């Protein structure tokens, strides 16, 4: 790891972070960036990057707090949560004197974070804008990416409609901050209408929690990330040449559904797969995290990773140990093939009902 002079260690209230860990403010050539490290740093690294206006807690806690995810992801990896500049918990307002960062500079920042922690090769997990940054990072630093798990990713330059829409959002943030209308636009970006409206018309806990977390964001910091994403360039040519194994999730109600399907189509079909989750928006990690577990498990098997060994307990007579192991009886036999275990991943399009 780098010397302490290159970072600031932050004390975090562990009651707020059930999984525990330590936050670092890592000094890069483009400024400080927050990285929350959770797990044993001797293990392989999993790097996460959230969507616009979210941080690691609001973007990944639904997935990582699932018991099955803990036995799979946290058992195998030390997780390095990278937040976009100024998106971390308790972030200060970034000075207007600090230059705006481009998407290429944000991707280069990820490489500097890896250098600081002494990481040579990592698994990546990103959501929408964060998935774009990690995809760009994988294209620019191919030898440093073991595999990609992307959720509702962006990969092309914005259409005129998206560009104009984002310009409206940028003006909202500049003049009115994180106002009610801005929060509604972001909630539409993240979640399906079914979840936003609720069965009885009442908002779900997920929506209420997200509203509260958005209130904590520094609106001008969010502007900087949104502006960078609104000026992104097309990754199609780079994606066609990318050889790292890639698993793509997208909700069928996501505004980026067509973008994710396009990305899956242009990538090498021998190393990429698409999972489309029904009745779900873009933020699959929060809306339907359980739909991600089995595809991720089989994806990681191709790298030699497995679940935490099953628990063993004694029977009431103390003579026959009882082994508790996950049941895969509902999995189609073809998913147990060598190809589907990640050695040569099939270009599947799986729809999962939850």
């Amino acid at each position: 790891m780098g010397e302490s002079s290159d970072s600031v260690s932050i004390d975090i209230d562990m009651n707020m972070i059930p999984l525990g860990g330590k936050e670092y403010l890592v000094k890069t050539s483009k400024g400080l960036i927050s990285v929350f490290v959770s797990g044993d740093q001797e293990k392989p690294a999993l790097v996460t990057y959230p969507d616009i206006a979210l941080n690691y807690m609001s973007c990944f806690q639904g997935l990582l707090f699932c018991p099955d995810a803990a036995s799979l992801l946290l058992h195998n990896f030390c997780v390095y949560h990278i937040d976009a500049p100024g998106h971390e918990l308790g972030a200060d307002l970034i000075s207007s004197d600090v230059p705006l960062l481009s998407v290429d500079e944000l991707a280069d920042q990820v490489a500097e974070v890896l250098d600081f922690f002494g990481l040579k090769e990592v698994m990546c997990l990103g959501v929408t804008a964060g998935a774009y940054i990690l995809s760009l990072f994988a294209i620019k630093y191919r030898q440093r990416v073991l595999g990609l798990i992307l959720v509702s990713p962006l990969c092309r330059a914005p259409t005129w409609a998206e560009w104009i829409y984002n310009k409206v959002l940028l003006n909202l943030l500049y003049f009115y901050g994180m106002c009610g209308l801005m929060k509604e636009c972001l909630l539409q970006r993240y979640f399906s209408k079914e979840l936003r409206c609720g069965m009885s018309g009442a908002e779900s806990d997920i929506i209420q929690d997200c509203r509260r977390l958005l209130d904590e964001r520094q609106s001008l910091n969010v502007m900087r990330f949104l502006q960078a994403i609104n000026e992104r360039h097309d990754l199609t040519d780079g994606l066609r040449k990318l050889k790292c194994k890639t698993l793509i999730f997208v909700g069928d109600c996501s505004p980026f559904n067509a973008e994710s399907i396009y990305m899956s189509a242009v990538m090498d079909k021998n190393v990429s797969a698409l999972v489309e989750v029904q009745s779900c928006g873009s933020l699959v990690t929060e809306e339907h995290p359980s739909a991600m577990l089995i595809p991720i498990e089989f994806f990681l098997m191709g790298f030699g990773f497995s679940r935490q060994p099953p628990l063993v307990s004694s029977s009431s007579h103390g003579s026959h140990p009882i082994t508790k192991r996950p049941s895969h009886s509902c999995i189609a036999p073809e998913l147990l093939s060598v190809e589907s275990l990640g050695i040569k991943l099939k270009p599947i399009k799986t729809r999962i009902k939850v």
Side-chain angles (χ1 to χ4, degrees):
M1 186 186 296
E3 299 296 328
S4 58
S5 61
D6 291 333
S7 76
V8 180
S9 176
I10 306 296
D11 291 327
I12 298 293
D13 183 357
M14 287 299 107
N15 292 324
M16 296 175 59
I17 315 291
L19 296 177
K22 187 175 182 180
E23 183 179 17
Y24 297 84
L25 287 179
V26 178
K27 184 179 179 181
T28 73
S29 62
K30 306 301 179 184
L32 292 174
I33 189 168
S34 171
V35 184
F36 190 87
V37 182
S38 179
D40 181 357
Q41 294 188 43
E42 296 300 317
K43 293 182 178 180
L46 172 66
V47 170
T48 74
Y49 209 114
D51 192 19
I52 290 167
L54 300 176
N55 56 35
Y56 75 94
M57 281 293 290
S58 51
C59 198
F60 299 107
Q61 66 175 347
L63 174 63
L64 295 179
F65 288 0
C66 286
D68 287 342
S71 68
L72 179 62
L73 296 176
L74 301 180
H75 170 64
N76 288 296
F77 297 100
C78 178
V79 186
Y80 296 79
H81 296 289
I82 301 176
D83 285 330
H87 281 56
E88 67 272 15
L89 292 168
D92 293 326
L93 181 65
I94 299 175
S95 170
S96 58
D97 296 331
V98 177
L100 292 172
L101 299 184
S102 67
V103 289
D104 284 279
E105 289 170 324
L106 291 171
D108 292 339
Q109 240 184 1
V110 175
E112 293 189 53
V113 168
L114 267 58
D115 292 339
F116 171 78
F117 288 105
L119 304 174
K120 294 182 179 180
E121 191 176 46
V122 298
M123 186 73 68
C124 295
L125 169 60
V127 176
T128 311
Y132 178 93
I133 299 299
L134 292 180
S135 298
L136 178 56
F137 168 73
I139 291 170
K140 297 183 72 171
Y141 301 90
R142 297 183 186 185
Q143 301 303 316
R144 308 196 72 170
V145 178
L146 184 64
L148 290 170
I149 303 173
L150 307 175
V151 182
S152 307
L154 303 172
C155 66
R156 289 178 286 189
T159 62
W160 278 109
E162 183 194 346
W163 187 86
I164 292 170
Y165 180 74
N166 286 340
K167 282 292 186 182
V168 173
L169 297 185
L170 288 166
N171 281 311
L172 274 176
L173 285 166
Y174 184 78
F175 289 108
Y176 302 103
M178 193 58 70
C179 60
L181 178 58
M182 184 68 201
K183 283 186 280 190
E184 287 301 323
C185 292
L186 289 172
L187 290 172
Q188 289 179 22
R189 175 187 180 94
Y190 306 146
F191 301 111
S192 66
K193 183 178 180 180
E194 181 179 347
L195 184 67
R196 295 196 315 272
C197 298
M199 296 296 291
S200 59
E203 283 192 341
S204 67
D205 290 342
I206 293 177
I207 300 297
Q208 292 178 18
D209 289 344
C210 191
R211 283 186 188 278
R212 186 179 68 254
L213 290 165
L214 289 174
D215 280 332
E216 300 171 2
R217 298 281 76 76
Q218 293 279 6
S219 56
L220 295 183
N221 294 354
V222 175
M223 273 187 63
R224 298 171 73 93
F225 191 20
L226 179 57
Q227 186 163 333
I229 291 299
N230 205 35
E231 296 173 1
R232 67 186 187 269
H233 50 85
D234 195 324
L235 301 182
T236 299
D237 289 341
L239 291 171
R240 287 197 175 105
K241 301 172 185 176
L242 200 60
K243 296 302 179 183
C244 68
K245 296 172 187 175
T246 303
L247 180 60
I248 300 173
F249 292 92
V250 67
D252 66 353
C253 300
S254 168
F256 309 108
N257 180 275
E259 185 85 352
S260 301
I261 293 173
Y262 170 83
M263 182 174 184
S264 176
V266 300
M267 294 188 72
D268 186 338
K269 293 177 173 55
N270 292 316
V271 296
S272 65
L274 172 70
V275 178
E276 189 175 7
V277 183
Q278 290 187 0
S279 304
C280 188
S282 300
L283 203 55
V284 186
T285 52
E286 292 296 313
E287 190 165 351
H288 287 317
S290 59
M292 301 179 65
L293 295 178
I294 289 178
I296 289 177
E297 180 173 5
F298 284 109
F299 179 70
L300 293 179
M301 281 182 183
F303 299 94
F305 298 113
S306 60
R307 284 181 182 270
Q308 188 173 17
L311 299 175
V312 178
S313 61
S314 298
S315 67
S316 58
H317 299 290
S319 57
H320 299 289
I322 300 173
T323 301
K324 298 178 182 179
R325 60 181 72 243
S327 171
H328 297 304
S329 58
C330 61
I331 300 175
E334 58 269 20
L335 289 181
L336 298 173
S337 68
V338 172
E339 291 83 2
S340 292
L341 293 182
I343 298 173
K344 186 178 179 183
L345 199 61
K346 289 183 177 179
I348 57 173
K349 181 179 178 182
T350 304
R351 284 185 164 83
I352 299 177
K353 283 191 175 181
V354 294

